Amino acid sequence: MSLNTTFDSQKKLKTETSKTNQTPAAKLSFKEQQELKALDEALALSEKEIKNLTEELNKIEASDYSKIQDISSKIDRINEKIENDMARWIELSEK
């Protein structure tokens, strides 16, 4: 066996070994990539909506209890949606 053949074999073995030692990065499916993108957009929209509702809530007179309660309920629902979306976003981004 020639020196070049031995060197090439060792080089090939080293390359194969280094490939197997690397943890393969799990890739998201196309559907998951689309879902992650949609979640990014939904989260940004929800945060903007909460900001707008909070500004509206700050402008309401304290005596208008029903309107305060209505807007507060909307903010709570959006916060729950954000929590759910964030949990799913984290799940996908950790893949």
Side-chain angles (χ1 to χ4, degrees), residues 43 46 50 72-88:
L43 286 166
S46 294
I50 283 183
S72 296
S73 295
K74 288 179 184 178
I75 291 173
D76 287 341
R77 283 193 302 271
I78 295 169
N79 275 326
E80 286 178 25
K81 182 182 181 316
I82 288 175
E83 286 179 26
N84 292 334
D85 288 349
M86 282 296 290
R88 181 62 179 154

Side-chain angles (χ1 to χ4, degrees), residues 2 6-7 11-12 26 29-30 32 34-35 38 44 51-52 57 59 61 65 68 71 75-76 81 85 87-88 90 95:
S2 73
T6 305
F7 179 75
K11 187 175 178 183
K12 184 177 179 183
S29 69
F30 179 76
E32 289 172 329
Q34 297 293 54
E35 182 181 1
K51 181 183 174 196
N52 292 338
L57 187 62
K59 293 177 184 177
E61 290 186 35
Y65 178 75
I68 292 173
I71 292 175
I75 291 173
D76 287 341
K81 182 182 181 316
D85 288 349
R88 181 62 179 154
I90 291 169
K95 278 191 169 186

Side-chain angles (χ1 to χ4, degrees), residues 8-68:
D8 289 343
S9 297
Q10 288 176 345
K11 187 175 178 183
K12 184 177 179 183
L13 181 61
K14 219 180 227 187
T15 304
E16 289 174 1
T17 304
S18 66
K19 285 181 182 176
T20 57
N21 288 340
Q22 296 173 352
T23 55
K27 294 186 178 182
L28 296 176
S29 69
F30 179 76
K31 184 178 177 183
E32 289 172 329
Q33 290 173 4
Q34 297 293 54
E35 182 181 1
L36 189 61
K37 183 179 177 182
L39 285 170
D40 280 335
E41 293 169 0
L43 286 166
L45 185 63
S46 294
E47 289 171 356
K48 184 177 180 181
E49 193 173 350
I50 283 183
K51 181 183 174 196
N52 292 338
L53 287 171
T54 302
E55 288 173 0
E56 186 179 338
L57 187 62
N58 290 333
K59 293 177 184 177
I60 298 173
E61 290 186 35
S63 62
D64 196 353
Y65 178 75
S66 63
K67 194 166 186 177
I68 292 173

